[in-house]
Amino acid sequence: MSGGWAAKELAERGLRTLVLEAGRMITPERDYLMDAPASDFPYRGLGNPKETAEKFFVQRRSVGFSEQTKQFFIDDREQPYSLTPGSEFSWLRSRVLGGRSILWGRMAFRMSEMDFAANLRDGVGVDWPIRYADIAPWYEYVERFVGVSGEALGLDYLPDSHFLPPMQLTCAEEQVKAGLTKAYGGRRIMTIGRTAVLTAPIHGRAACHYCNSCERGCSTFSYFNSVHATLPAATRTGRCTIRPHSVVHSVMYDDRTGKATGVRVIDSETREAIEFKAKVVFLCASALESARILLNSATPGQPTGLGNASDQLGRNLMDHIKGAGASGRVEGLDDKTAFGRRPTGIYIPRFQNLDARSHRSDYIRGYGYQGGAGGRGPLWSSAASRPGFGADFKRSLKGAIGGWSFGLSGFAECLPNPENRMVIDPELKDAWGIPSVKITAKWGDNELRLHRDMAEQAGEMLEASGVKNVSINRGTPPPMGQTNHEMGSARMGRSPKTSVLNAWNQVWDAPNVFVTDGAAMASSSCVNPSLTYMALTARAAAYAVSRLKRNEL
């Protein structure tokens, strides 16, 4: 995600740029399986249980993993990691060109001034070294290229983007929205999900045609990812080279000059060790991988890892806690059905701890909900377990229409905790001989209180909105990492004594090294973070080029 943006911005601003991709190249014509029918897959999309258990025992926990998408995920046998006793963490990874930008959920939200000031206000972690005003122009900059569809609401705690036209709510969602507004008087709001999926063509990419097979790769380039958006823009400059099968081992650093000189790489096909020299290095390998690279970049002058003078490198791991919500049935619309497969759901922005009226004494921060209405259409999913075969069976499905259902699933903020951390495991290496990591992670009390409340509030809201037969999901939350929003392992801050990066995403102790993926996050907000990664990357790249041209790096 951020790597494509770094390549685009650096190349377009005049730098000769080398993109080191740990995995293979991706060719949309070959690798995107959006239109492939189930009959093209040996297990009809259900997957080979033996292969999945042996090769993808961690990756299968991802909501995007399937027989149709397994080509984008790593082989867990090649890239192990360890956990300390009592810890749970799902490290979900993709090592192909474009990485998880192919698989992401495409929800695109701005963080707010409230989010950037939260640590200072609550006395948690460290204060962000930037505020909303610093990043707002860069949000708009990336949104104009990405293409974000959504509805403007004018909320200071969920700032509006530069929007393409929003996708439509279904009739059931409109009914629940009206009930929610009536019950809460506008204090709890439902809108369509803000998504990086086009509703109008831009930059040669077509508008979405509502097949909703996004995670397989979009053949019409209607959703944003690095493969068909930022990286082509970078290579069109003639100044960007992409080198696949290049697993970065570490950053090379000169203790005498206080600068990085390049990176060490292991060619994953030949196992050859290679060094690449560079005047500036951007690490965009994902929160844990970028931190791992820095930890493996120890020198005599920085023996615990490059940029780790604060002892914060690898600490403060965060993810969004999920798995709590509610669902029920929407009545009175049995004469209506859905058309198309919309690639986003609804969103209910945070409504707790916004002001004195919504203040909670049992936890800080808040949560939002994703979800939507469904079920009013042919019951294809249930047909997989029904007996039948042939034309008569297919005809019978046309009349198997279900009623409207509606569900909410919460996503809550996670606080930075220095005890949630990763260190180099001295006894564990990956398939290329690079030391791997040991992770300590568990949800804190504040996250668990948020989780409990978002279950109860989901049930209350659905009841108040007129949804029937409401069932509340109060289950145990999934492990950290499983929301795919891991962040915080090389946080930004105002002092080199308490953070790894400064306000421009520079490593304090190596000013020509920038980290612009989720590792940089000082707090997590409760909104999906990818748009913030992109904006931080574009901002940092512009800064790096300006300083490099003045010989200040």
Side-chain angles (χ1 to χ4, degrees):
M1 189 74 71
S2 57
W5 269 101
K8 172 186 177 295
E9 294 303 304
L10 295 173
E12 288 184 342
R13 294 175 187 273
L15 301 192
R16 288 188 297 122
T17 304
L18 175 63
V19 175
L20 294 172
E21 167 54 54
R24 63 181 177 89
M25 296 291 282
I26 287 291
T27 302
E29 294 78 10
R30 177 193 64 201
D31 296 299
Y32 286 3
L33 303 177
M34 178 184 79
D35 297 319
S39 57
D40 283 1
F41 300 94
Y43 291 82
R44 302 301 186 259
L46 300 178
N48 180 338
K50 184 174 185 294
E51 179 193 48
T52 300
E54 291 178 353
K55 292 179 61 176
F56 306 112
F57 46 87
V58 175
Q59 306 312 305
R60 66 182 177 183
R61 302 172 195 167
S62 170
V63 295
F65 180 84
S66 70
E67 186 178 7
Q68 296 99 327
T69 62
K70 65 179 183 179
Q71 69 273 17
F72 300 131
F73 287 86
I74 67 161
D75 183 336
D76 286 311
R77 298 171 300 181
E78 295 180 337
Q79 300 179 54
Y81 62 97
S82 61
L83 298 168
T84 58
S87 293
E88 289 187 294
F89 194 94
S90 297
W91 193 2
L92 306 175
R93 291 176 279 177
S94 173
R95 275 197 177 177
V96 295
L97 187 69
R100 287 188 300 179
S101 75
I102 300 172
L103 297 159
W104 71 309
R106 306 165 303 283
M107 299 296 277
F109 300 101
R110 296 186 182 193
M111 287 173 58
S112 70
E113 177 66 16
M114 176 179 289
D115 294 319
F116 286 106
N119 282 358
L120 179 63
R121 181 184 65 247
D122 296 330
V124 172
V126 297
D127 186 21
W128 277 88
I130 62 173
R131 288 294 185 263
Y132 179 72
D134 298 308
I135 197 172
W138 295 101
Y139 275 133
E140 181 169 350
Y141 179 80
V142 300
E143 288 158 358
R144 287 181 178 274
F145 184 82
V146 167
V148 178
S149 64
E151 177 189 18
L153 297 173
L155 305 173
D156 58 1
Y157 55 90
L158 188 73
D160 293 327
S161 292
H162 175 80
F163 285 129
L164 297 175
M167 296 184 181
Q168 290 183 323
L169 298 175
T170 66
C171 57
E173 290 162 350
E174 290 282 10
Q175 183 167 305
V176 175
K177 178 181 179 179
L180 192 69
T181 301
K182 181 179 179 181
Y184 294 96
R187 289 181 288 112
R188 302 188 184 187
I189 299 166
M190 182 189 297
T191 186
I192 190 67
R194 297 175 175 183
T195 182
V197 181
L198 303 185
T199 53
I202 62 170
H203 308 308
R205 295 161 49 211
C208 176
H209 58 281
Y210 290 68
C211 76
N212 196 24
S213 298
C214 308
E215 69 279 358
R216 300 190 197 181
C218 181
S219 300
T220 56
F221 302 166
S222 302
Y223 81 84
F224 172 83
N225 72 24
S226 299
V227 177
H228 56 240
T230 44
L231 289 174
T235 56
R236 281 195 296 269
T237 66
R239 291 184 289 271
C240 180
T241 300
I242 300 173
R243 189 184 195 279
H245 306 292
S246 302
V247 184
V248 174
H249 177 285
S250 53
V251 176
M252 298 184 295
Y253 178 78
D254 189 334
D255 282 322
R256 295 169 300 172
T257 64
K259 294 182 181 180
T261 59
V263 295
R264 300 179 187 90
V265 166
I266 305 297
D267 187 296
S268 64
E269 293 188 310
T270 67
R271 307 301 170 110
E272 179 186 5
I274 309 170
E275 294 183 353
F276 292 100
K277 302 290 186 179
K279 292 183 178 180
V280 62
V281 174
F282 269 66
L283 293 180
C284 307
S286 81
L288 272 68
E289 194 62 54
S290 289
R292 176 195 182 196
I293 291 169
L294 290 173
L295 287 167
N296 276 324
S297 302
T299 68
Q302 299 198 41
T304 62
L306 181 58
N308 197 25
S310 63
D311 190 35
Q312 293 302 309
L313 180 60
R315 293 187 183 271
N316 307 295
L317 292 180
M318 297 176 284
D319 189 20
H320 289 135
I321 188 169
K322 66 175 184 178
S327 60
R329 299 185 65 81
V330 180
E331 297 182 347
L333 299 171
D334 287 351
D335 59 331
K336 296 177 173 62
T337 188
F339 176 78
R341 301 173 65 207
R342 190 187 64 202
T344 189
I346 62 90
Y347 189 68
I348 296 178
R350 172 180 169 178
F351 51 82
Q352 303 284 45
N353 287 324
L354 297 177
D355 51 26
R357 186 176 182 182
S358 61
H359 173 72
R360 296 287 301 234
S361 60
D362 51 340
Y363 59 77
I364 59 174
R365 312 293 169 93
Y367 50 82
Y369 292 99
Q370 298 174 30
R376 185 61 183 166
L379 300 181
W380 305 118
S381 58
S382 65
S385 59
R386 288 175 55 186
F389 184 79
D392 289 342
F393 176 64
K394 294 175 184 177
R395 278 192 291 271
S396 72
L397 295 179
K398 293 182 179 180
I401 303 295
W404 285 101
S405 62
F406 189 93
L408 292 175
S409 182
F411 292 79
E413 180 162 357
C414 175
L415 299 179
N417 177 356
E419 299 308 311
N420 285 335
R421 66 179 303 194
M422 52 179 280
V423 298
I424 295 300
D425 188 329
E427 300 178 353
L428 187 64
K429 295 183 178 181
D430 66 17
W432 302 277
I434 302 173
S436 191
V437 298
K438 178 176 289 187
I439 298 171
T440 300
K442 64 178 182 179
W443 299 117
D445 289 341
N446 197 72
E447 289 83 56
L448 295 174
R449 291 189 187 105
L450 284 161
H451 188 266
R452 286 193 290 271
D453 190 54
M454 65 187 183
E456 300 305 324
Q457 294 296 326
E460 176 188 299
M461 286 191 293
L462 293 189
E463 293 275 7
S465 302
V467 177
K468 306 299 182 183
N469 301 323
V470 173
S471 173
I472 299 176
N473 177 14
R474 302 182 179 90
T476 302
M480 288 184 69
Q482 209 152 312
T483 306
N484 258 338
H485 297 168
E486 69 276 13
M487 54 189 124
S489 52
R491 69 185 180 189
M492 298 169 71
R494 295 182 181 271
S495 168
K497 295 181 180 180
T498 57
S499 58
V500 180
L501 310 174
N502 69 10
W504 297 99
N505 294 82
Q506 289 171 285
V507 175
W508 286 108
D509 300 320
N512 63 336
V513 178
F514 293 76
V515 182
T516 64
D517 54 26
M521 301 286 280
S523 66
S524 66
S525 177
C526 67
V527 299
N528 299 51
S530 295
L531 191 65
T532 299
Y533 303 167
M534 292 187 254
L536 287 173
T537 303
R539 179 177 179 267
Y543 177 83
V545 172
S546 70
R547 293 301 181 269
L548 196 62
K549 289 181 176 178
R550 294 204 295 262
N551 294 316
E552 294 177 0
L553 288 181

